[in-house]
Amino acid sequence: MRFNEKELQALSRQPAEMAAELGMRGPKKGSVVKRRLVKLVVNFLFYFRTDEAEPVGALLLEHCRVTQEEPSGFSISFLEDPERKYHFECCSEEQCQEWMAALRRASYEFMRRSLVFYRNEIQKVTGKDPLEQFGISEEARFQLSGLKA
């Protein structure tokens, strides 16, 4: 996937759903833990050197797995290369759980499933499709049949 660097930098300056200084170790062998400011903005996880305004990198949180590695640590790996893991160390087990929950909610697929679920619940209660007023109710991406169990 290609990204425009200036657009990513602009996105990294947007208000974050979560942000904290965490220990981070990249996927390369011999990589050491470094303190990074980590910001979750929509479905991107940006990481910064603690003294710089521009991000060092970003992870697109699609087709990924968030796994608890230790009581206060978790990792992110991607389905196309599950052995390539980014490790994060939190200050507490509670902070770790908060980060893992937020990262799992951040993907487009999770948001789409939530929209479809709530759309159907509203339709059951009101008898009306809440997306109809926007002219998008027939789009395949909003159909329950598109969901995998």
Side-chain angles (χ1 to χ4, degrees):
M1 188 175 268
R2 302 184 123 195
F3 301 101
N4 178 304
E5 189 174 333
K6 288 183 181 183
E7 287 177 356
L8 275 179
Q9 288 178 349
L11 183 61
S12 75
R13 293 185 199 103
Q14 296 300 311
E17 282 85 31
M18 287 189 76
E21 233 180 79
L22 302 176
M24 179 180 173
R25 183 168 40 94
K28 293 180 182 171
K29 289 191 188 285
S31 185
V32 296
V33 175
K34 296 178 183 173
R35 295 302 291 171
R36 296 284 187 232
L37 171 61
V38 180
K39 283 179 65 176
L40 176 61
V41 180
V42 190
N43 61 344
F44 279 92
L45 187 66
F46 293 97
Y47 49 98
F48 303 76
R49 289 187 180 93
T50 55
D51 59 346
E52 293 182 8
E54 298 301 325
V56 175
L59 301 175
L60 176 61
L61 299 172
E62 298 299 334
H63 307 290
C64 67
R65 175 169 283 132
V66 179
T67 308
Q68 188 161 5
E69 296 287 332
E70 51 197 57
S72 62
F74 64 91
S75 68
I76 299 173
S77 60
F78 294 89
L79 300 180
E80 67 269 5
D81 190 3
E83 298 303 312
R84 184 178 166 89
K85 291 183 179 182
Y86 293 82
H87 296 269
F88 297 86
E89 295 177 0
C90 301
C91 295
S92 67
E93 188 171 349
E94 180 182 355
Q95 184 188 39
C96 180
Q97 295 300 322
E98 290 171 3
W99 271 99
M100 289 178 19
L103 293 169
R104 288 177 179 144
R105 289 189 309 262
S107 75
Y108 169 82
E109 186 58 29
F110 179 87
M111 289 184 257
R112 186 184 78 80
R113 286 175 184 257
S114 296
L115 175 101
V116 170
F117 172 79
Y118 289 116
R119 172 194 183 191
N120 289 324
E121 292 299 305
I122 290 168
Q123 199 165 4
K124 284 179 194 173
V125 172
T126 66
K128 294 182 181 179
D129 183 351
L131 298 182
E132 196 171 324
Q133 65 184 331
F134 301 107
I136 59 174
S137 61
E138 297 304 316
E139 290 187 24
R141 63 186 169 160
F142 301 123
Q143 302 307 313
L144 187 59
S145 61
L147 293 178
K148 297 172 190 161

